[in-house]
Amino acid sequence: MASKPISIILFTLLILLFNLLFHEALAHSKHEKLPAFDFLNNIKGSHKGDESQAIHYLKMYLEHFGYLNYKNKSNVEDDHFDDDLESALKTYQLNYHLNVTGILDSDTVSKMVAPRCGVPDIINGNTRMKSTKDRTTLHIISKYSFFPGNLKWRSSKYNLTYGFYPKTPTQAVQPVAKAFKTWADNTHFRFARVQNYRYADLKIGFFKRHHGDGAPFDGPGGVLAHAFAPEDGRFHYDGDESWSVDVEEDAFHIETVALHEIGHLLGLGHSSIEDAIMYPSLPPGTIKGLDTDDIQGIQDLYDV
């Protein structure tokens, strides 16, 4: 009879530990704020041994998304392109199918400056954008990933409620509802909206800069949104971005970003397949749906 309460306590501790790691991974430097991603264009071509005023921003970027973890935080703030930075850049290039050179070349910069999800690619040293290959053809057949510990919702919580924080733009409600329906049509989950967000399992809203979750937004450009792993339930858009219900050239598609972040809410990490909804970056004016990689990932996580 004691095993069930012990299991619940262990599960709760795992959730608390993950959220601590998540906050740490998303947190900016205590001394400086990560600038807009465009700064990377100013240090294009940088490599090991270089020194430049903006190299510590590159370190902050890679630390923010989980690729760097200096034991001595002063190393993040110096301007030296060291061995650890080269190694972190190579891991980034490997995850994004770039030439693994350790040099901040043009292709790498183009990928890094793209607007993206704020959830790190790596948490607590786990390289999360791994691939599976068919040994016969060597073709990539899946690249979905999970949060450390394969966090997921309990079987008693497959019927989830969602609600919107106050001041959520009215025009965002229907696109988010459509995104939930898409996930419901492709999974064993069912979603129902409640009017009072306080009673919802999943809470959605638009916020700017510091908003109380330990992961401040950075203004226009850069990070678009973030969400937390099961069973936290929070999903936040960056309110400083330009958002659209329909596809607009200079705005981000509300429903597409919702599809991505709901994937995190259900337990999916990032995928390195560009067609997958769980791919980390999204250009403005882009609309996407679920890919087979996303569906295979969620089925694998929940053994369905």
Side-chain angles (χ1 to χ4, degrees):
M1 294 295 290
S3 61
K4 186 173 182 180
I6 290 174
S7 298
I8 294 172
I9 291 171
L10 289 174
F11 182 82
T12 302
L13 289 174
L14 182 61
I15 294 295
L16 292 173
L17 175 61
F18 171 77
N19 284 330
L20 178 63
L21 294 171
F22 183 88
H23 287 147
E24 183 179 345
L26 263 65
H28 295 307
S29 167
K30 293 181 180 179
H31 303 286
E32 290 185 87
K33 177 189 166 194
L34 183 67
F37 296 170
D38 285 346
F39 78 89
L40 291 158
N41 288 306
N42 299 327
I43 52 173
K44 190 183 299 181
S46 295
H47 53 80
K48 187 171 71 172
D50 283 353
E51 290 197 21
S52 155
Q53 187 174 5
I55 283 178
H56 73 279
Y57 289 129
L58 173 60
K59 293 180 177 182
M60 288 171 61
Y61 178 104
L62 289 169
E63 184 184 46
H64 184 95
F65 293 111
Y67 291 89
L68 262 178
N69 184 21
Y70 285 110
K71 292 181 180 179
N72 184 350
K73 291 301 179 183
S74 65
N75 289 336
V76 179
E77 297 164 7
D78 69 34
D79 300 327
H80 180 62
F81 200 123
D82 56 26
D83 290 336
D84 288 337
L85 178 55
E86 181 187 54
S87 178
L89 195 58
K90 285 181 177 180
T91 302
Y92 180 92
Q93 291 168 332
L94 182 65
N95 272 348
Y96 286 89
H97 307 300
L98 301 165
N99 289 329
V100 181
T101 63
I103 299 171
L104 192 64
D105 53 40
S106 297
D107 289 341
T108 305
V109 169
S110 295
K111 188 64 65 175
M112 293 178 79
V113 298
R116 59 161 292 161
C117 172
V119 174
D121 299 330
I122 301 172
I123 296 176
N124 197 29
N126 291 282
T127 303
R128 298 167 53 212
M129 294 167 65
K130 295 178 180 177
S131 63
T132 302
K133 295 185 178 181
D134 184 306
R135 292 175 181 240
T136 304
T137 64
L138 297 183
H139 290 161
I140 303 297
I141 58 174
S142 65
K143 290 199 176 176
Y144 56 81
S145 64
F146 310 134
F147 289 98
N150 292 357
L151 296 178
K152 58 185 177 181
W153 291 88
R154 292 164 288 168
S155 58
S156 60
K157 294 291 291 181
Y158 289 168
N159 293 311
L160 296 170
T161 57
Y162 68 92
F164 295 91
Y165 288 98
K167 300 183 180 179
T168 297
T170 304
Q171 64 268 28
V173 172
Q174 188 58 29
V176 173
K178 288 175 65 178
F180 275 117
K181 183 179 185 305
T182 298
W183 277 109
D185 289 344
N186 289 278
T187 66
H188 57 294
F189 283 97
R190 295 297 175 263
F191 305 98
R193 183 186 173 190
V194 296
Q195 292 301 315
N196 190 333
Y197 78 96
R198 293 183 179 87
Y199 302 118
D201 299 305
L202 311 172
K203 301 173 176 64
I204 304 102
F206 286 69
F207 299 91
K208 297 181 180 182
R209 308 290 178 165
H210 290 271
H211 53 283
D213 67 354
F217 285 125
D218 52 5
V223 171
L224 302 176
H226 57 233
F228 293 77
E231 295 182 352
D232 183 288
R234 288 174 293 172
F235 160 18
H236 302 157
Y237 287 92
D238 185 349
D240 277 326
E241 305 294 348
S242 296
W243 297 102
S244 65
V245 175
D246 300 314
V247 180
E248 296 180 14
E249 184 178 354
D250 297 321
F252 297 97
H253 192 239
I254 295 173
E255 183 181 347
T256 297
V257 172
L259 281 171
H260 178 98
E261 301 303 336
I262 292 169
H264 287 318
L265 293 177
L266 298 181
L268 287 179
H270 285 150
S271 170
S272 56
I273 292 180
E274 290 198 49
D275 288 340
I277 199 64
M278 297 313 297
Y279 190 72
S281 62
L282 183 78
T286 301
I287 184 171
K288 293 173 70 174
L290 298 187
D291 183 77
T292 55
D293 187 70
D294 306 305
I295 297 170
Q296 288 173 2
I298 204 71
Q299 291 175 344
D300 186 13
L301 179 61
Y302 287 92
D303 298 317
V304 295

